[in-house]
Amino acid sequence: EVQVVDSGGDLVQPGGSLRLSCAASGYTFSSYDMNWVRQAPGKGLEWVSFISRSSSTIYYADSVKGRFTISRDNARNSVYLQMNSLRAEDTAVYYCARVGSAIDYWGQGTLVTVSS
Amino acid sequence: DIQMTQSPSSLSASVGDSVTITCRASQGISSWLAWYQQKPEKAPKSLIYAASSLQSGVPSRFSGSGSGTDFTLTISSLQPEDFATYYCQQYNSYPWTFGQGTKVEIK
């Protein structure tokens, strides 16, 4: 069974940093691209970042470019999102998502709250 | 960036009704269109990819159609578990973009 489990969300002050993790199981992790998608409280879905299966291709939304870094460790079946210079508008539930036929599996989400 | 516009933003329907949600892309995206269902406080669930193909395990009462810029999601014979918010999303090019969502409520 495919499982994607997000973790690492927390309360952090503006300007602070946080690292999210996503652990995948039940499939050959290195064969799939991955994304992070977020959802601010009461709002819709917003794509954040993409990483290809070999890490050779990476994309970011303009709203996080230069502040967030996506990475993956295929040996550990994990993908990460390093978030620096956090702002109040980064407050959201962050979902890790597998790219199969479009997004086919989602993590359960992890809440990041940026507030003083 | 490609803008995705859904209509309506919300609708009320009864169990057994057929409902249709529309999604329009600001430029042609061929069939690179997906639909997701989200219930309150839950992660989204993937329903449809390539505009009309059902993800594994999705009931056949869900169907999608369209290509280019205009797409629809139809739920035939609405079931109690179908009351949720639905999002379309283009994956023709990055940045991937989502519609604003359509909330399907019980009448």
Side-chain angles (χ1 to χ4, degrees), chain A residues 34-35 37 39 43-47 49-50 59-62 95 99 101-109, chain B residues 1 33-34 36 38 41-46 48-50 55-56 87 89 91 94-100:
Chain A
M34 299 293 289
N35 279 286
V37 175
Q39 186 170 37
K43 302 297 185 183
L45 299 169
E46 179 190 17
W47 170 79
S49 185
F50 162 90
Y59 300 118
Y60 297 100
D62 286 345
Y95 297 101
V99 182
S101 303
I103 290 175
D104 55 2
Y105 287 93
W106 298 73
Q108 83 286 0
Chain B
D1 297 1
L33 191 282
Y36 306 98
Q38 188 178 34
E41 309 306 317
K42 296 292 187 183
K45 175 187 175 182
S46 301
I48 287 172
Y49 65 96
Q55 293 280 4
S56 176
Y87 294 93
Q89 178 236 330
Y91 56 107
Y94 281 94
W96 285 4
T97 45
F98 292 85
Q100 80 278 16

Side-chain angles (χ1 to χ4, degrees), chain B residues 17-97:
Chain B
D17 285 351
S18 176
V19 301
T20 296
I21 299 168
T22 297
C23 178
R24 175 164 289 175
S26 60
Q27 63 189 75
I29 59 170
S30 185
S31 295
W32 302 110
L33 191 282
W35 289 96
Y36 306 98
Q37 175 195 67
Q38 188 178 34
K39 297 180 181 179
E41 309 306 317
K42 296 292 187 183
K45 175 187 175 182
S46 301
L47 295 178
I48 287 172
Y49 65 96
S52 61
S53 298
L54 291 184
Q55 293 280 4
S56 176
V58 174
S60 58
R61 63 180 179 272
F62 291 92
S63 63
S65 65
S67 67
T69 60
D70 295 309
F71 302 87
T72 59
L73 171 69
T74 299
I75 312 171
S76 63
S77 190
L78 206 60
Q79 297 300 299
E81 60 267 30
D82 300 336
F83 292 95
T85 299
Y86 293 85
Y87 294 93
C88 64
Q89 178 236 330
Q90 67 81 17
Y91 56 107
N92 177 77
S93 60
Y94 281 94
W96 285 4
T97 45

